[in-house]
Structures are given as C-alpha cells and as structure tokens.
Amino acid sequence: MAPKTILLFSCLISLFPMAGLTQTMENDEAEIWKMSQIEQRKLDESGYIYQDDTLEAYLNTVLLKVTGTVPLPVVPHVKVLKSPELNAFAFPTGRMYIHTGLLAKLENESQLATLFGHEITHSTHKHAIQGFRHQKSTSDAVAFLGVISGGFGLIGAVANLLGNIGYMASVSGYSKSNETEADEVGFQKMKAAGYNPAEAPALFRILKNDITMEEPDKQAPYFFSSHPKLEDRLKNYQRLLNFSEVRPDSGYVDSVFIKKTRAVLFDNISIDVQAGRFNSAKHSISIYEKRFPGDDRILFRKADLLLKDQPQNSESQEKAMNLFKRIIELDSTLAAPHKELGKWYFKKGESTLAITHFEAYLRLAPQATDRRFIEGYIRKINTKTE
Amino acid sequence: MKRILISLATLSVLIGCGPEWRTVKGPVIETKSGGVLKAPTGWKYMIKDKQVLITPDSPDLAVLCYQTLDAEKPLARVKQKIQTDMLAEDLAAVITDNYRFTSEYSQFKVVETSPATINENDAFLILSEYKSTDGNPMKMLTMGYSKGNKAYIFEFTAPKRVYFDKMKPEMERIISLFVLQLAE
C-alpha cells in the first residue's frame, strides 16, 4: 500500500474510535488502551501540540514507510509537541509524539526513521502491557494504575501532563529486554524501508553530545535525555550496524528532510530561549545558518538570545541592539525590534530615540498586548522632560 | 507550587499537622520577606515558606498567592533568571515564559500586559487565561515588581465564569495596599 493510502486509512481509523477492536483484548490490555486514549486526548488538548500540517504529513509519511503494515488495532500516527527537550514516545495505540527539541536536532530522514522504528516497536510488540503484567506479578500494579507519576519541578512541562502509560513510554522507558527488542526490530524496519543504517548510531551520538550542552543537574527527565539510556542505544545500534552491509558515505545531503524541518528548527530556537536552554539555542542557530545561509530572519533569534542569555553583559546587549538595527534596515515593517530598541534607549536615558522607537512599535503593532506598557514608557519620558 | 501548597493544606487537615488555614483577624505578615497583606477580616490565609495564600472561603473558587523570587535563581519551570532591578516589563516576560512551560496551565494565553504600581514601585500586570488540569476555564491576574535582588509577585486565580470578575476588585485592592516592613 502506498504511504499516502496508508496515511488516509490511518486518519479514517482515528476518526472512528476503537469500538469493537478492544473487545478482542484481555481486560488489562483494554484498560491500558483506554488509559492511553485518555492521555493522548489530554496531550492533544494541552496547547502543546506544534501546529504545522505540512510537517505532520511529512512525518507521517516517513513513519508509515518505516512501519509498513502493522497489526490492528495499532494505528501509527505521529504528532509534534512544543517542547525543547529531547524526546519521542509512543503509546500502545501507535500514537507517537516527538518533541520539537528532538526534531530540531536530527540531521536526516534516516535518523528520523531510526527513531520511528524504535518507538513503533514498543506499540506493535505490546511492551506496555508486558510492563504492566510484570509489575502485576511484582505487586507494583496498583501503583502503576494509580496516581500519575508527575512532579517534575524544573522544565519537563510535558512530563507533568503524562499519565502512567505516557510516563512509562516517555520517561522511565521499558525493560532492558524490551528496549533492546525495540532497537533490533526498529533497526530492521528502517533498513527494510531503504534508509541508511549507518545513521542509526549517529542519531544517538548526536543526542548524547547534545545533552551535555546544558548543565547536567538541570536535565529533563525524559528517556532520550538520559545519558545511560542513550549509551545503551548507541552500543546496541553499533552492534547491529557491525552485522549489516553499510552503504558507503557519499556525502549525501537530505534536502527533503532539511526543507520540511526548516520551520521547526527555527521555531524551536525561540522555545529553547524561552526555556532558558541558551546553549542549545546557540547550537541550533549555527545549524540554521549553515543550512540556510542568507536567511535574515535568524538575526532576530540571535538578538533575542543575546538579550536573555546575558542580560547584565553590556557588550552582549550592545550586540543585540546592533542586530535589531540591522533587522529594521532589512525590513522596516517589523515591530518587535523597535520595542527592544525603545527599551534600550529608555534605560540609557536617551529619551528622543526611545520615543521614536516606541512610537514606531505602536504604529506597526497597533493590536500589541503590551500596548499600555509602551504608552506608559512614553508617558514617563514626557513627564520627566516637561 | 500553589497547587502543591493547596494539596498540602488538604493533607494537613487529614493528618492533623503542617500548615493550616487561619482566619484573617488583622494584617497578614510574611516575616521572611517582610510583606504585609491587608485582607478582609474573616477571610482565610495560609503561610508556607515564602508564600502566602489568601482566599475569601475556598481556594478552589478564588485564591491570591503572594511570593518573593530571588534574583539569579532559575524559576520553577524555566532556566531563565530574575535580574536585579529588572524593568517591570522584562520581569513580566520572564514570568510569562515560566507560565508557558507550566503544564497545569493548559492552553495558556496572555490577554493583556500593562504597567501598574504596587507600593509606589513600577510594576507589571498580566491578565491571562488557561484551562486547569480538570479542564475548567480559569483566569489569572498576575502583578509584580522587582526591587533590589528580589521580585514580589502576586497571582490571583479563579474560574473564568463568575468568580474571577466578582473577586477581582477586592484582590486588586489587597495588592494595592501591600507594603514591606523590615524582613527577618
């Protein structure tokens, strides 16, 4: 079946809930399915879904290429979560979520396929129900189906939204043997779909390097942000690769992947900055500049990063202001740089320049939610000069 | 944090220890920051660490949370930090980013930000909406200011329907009467 046909089929399936399909399941499995569907709905309605239909369609085409035909009632489908941390996870239903943070770090479709192959294996091989039954036999079952795990203070907003199924899929991971199985089956799937197997360990090498960028005590709790778990993946995929025929490196550049993920790479820089993940933002900016030289929109991200990363460093602030001036030269219709320049001159006591930029901001963004703030600055300057 | 505190309060009733809801009989003083809040007599309040919760009758219907944040320490949900003597608008931006990464505030949306004055200091006001973990539409009024190496933050939260608008004037009055006395 062609990927587009499978995609249409999976959309139709998702419109009609699992009526009847769960009837063939044992009680505990049906319960896990119901819990998964509740948790998925919670995530879908959380406001954390990254809205980009073109990207979502592309990701689902890749996912279906990797998974091929899967036994019902599992229906592979992937959505993107606005979250800067490195993670992806799948529910037993086949619904998968990938964080913008992880997507922004990938280099090509083969790495994406590796991730999808690993995750969908957890769904098709029923790792959640195996985990539950194992815990049942070790008397942890009540805890498993009881209160949600939650309680991740710093960062990890998505983790706080998860219930027990999502927690296992996203944070704790499955048993070592289940994870190894997901590595092995996932690897075969990505290879069978025609992807370059050499990219499988490369994916985990990138992730491993990336998690060292932020301070170790402030790491997110997610499975793919865990150093030992990434180390396990890396070893497993390297072993699998050693037994495979490897395509020679032809310096292949995955232009489709790079084009389709352009917006998410760009947007995740802003998400990183909001979350205070400044090193990661810096790294993504350099990747973006390499991939898309001459795209001046990146200047705003760079200036925003300088402002927030080192607010007390006058040299950085000066650099940021020069970037804002450059942005205005390139596009005089943009409002935001005027606001930042207005505030900069306001703090420096340069009233005329401050007012010029504040007025430009209000003219270019008449509906701005912070309009009254800007009017307040202007009033304050006028009161002082009167 | 506020929710954790409310849960702690409920738990403390059950096990008979920990912070308790007390009846307001005069100014409520948070000694660590020196913050003094003048709530109407007969309302309930609770002090835990550096936070004060004030409610007319039930925190589920309307609650005001006062807390201080230290400069150079990351916030609860983001690694951004409060700076010493921050511009009120910049402080509002950091607080807003923190809300955006707070999963309890589902579909968080800023309706308006504007300047304000608290205790004769330049302050910010953020009016926002979100859905609670139970899916109820909520409204939140956040006000605050930065002075020296501390930020003083007030959050009034209530269900969007009826309670927020009903209680907003009284909560704004409490915030407007806020003063600092010598801290511990």
Side-chain angles (χ1 to χ4, degrees), chain B residues 13 21 47 54 82 86 109 126 131 163 165 178 181:
Chain B
V13 172
W21 287 104
I47 301 178
I54 295 178
I82 305 284
M86 249 179 148
K109 189 176 84 183
I126 308 167
K131 277 195 176 169
Y163 287 97
D165 289 338
F178 173 78
Q181 64 176 28

Side-chain angles (χ1 to χ4, degrees), chain B residues 30-69:
Chain B
E30 197 285 295
T31 51
K32 282 181 183 149
S33 69
V36 181
L37 293 133
K38 290 167 190 156
T41 306
W43 282 30
K44 308 273 180 237
Y45 76 97
M46 178 166 54
I47 301 178
K48 166 82 175 153
D49 297 329
K50 287 182 184 173
Q51 290 192 320
V52 179
L53 293 178
I54 295 178
T55 180
D57 39 26
S58 161
D60 289 336
L61 300 180
V63 66
L64 175 69
C65 174
Y66 157 73
Q67 63 183 315
T68 53
L69 301 172

Side-chain angles (χ1 to χ4, degrees), chain A residues 100-159:
Chain A
T100 52
L102 177 50
L103 205 42
K105 299 294 185 263
L106 303 184
E107 292 173 332
N108 53 51
E109 204 171 291
S110 293
Q111 293 174 0
L112 181 64
T114 304
L115 193 69
F116 285 167
H118 176 97
E119 286 305 320
I120 202 65
T121 305
H122 288 312
S123 308
T124 54
H125 288 60
K126 302 189 175 190
H127 289 167
I129 186 67
Q130 284 178 33
F132 169 67
R133 285 178 184 156
H134 174 73
Q135 291 194 336
K136 203 171 173 180
S137 64
T138 57
S139 80
D140 289 336
V142 175
F144 182 85
L145 289 175
V147 272
I148 61 160
S149 7
F152 305 100
L154 183 68
I155 51 180
V158 169

Side-chain angles (χ1 to χ4, degrees), chain A residues 46-57:
Chain A
S46 65
Y48 284 104
I49 297 293
Y50 179 76
Q51 303 287 353
D52 180 340
D53 293 346
T54 314
L55 175 69
E56 202 173 303

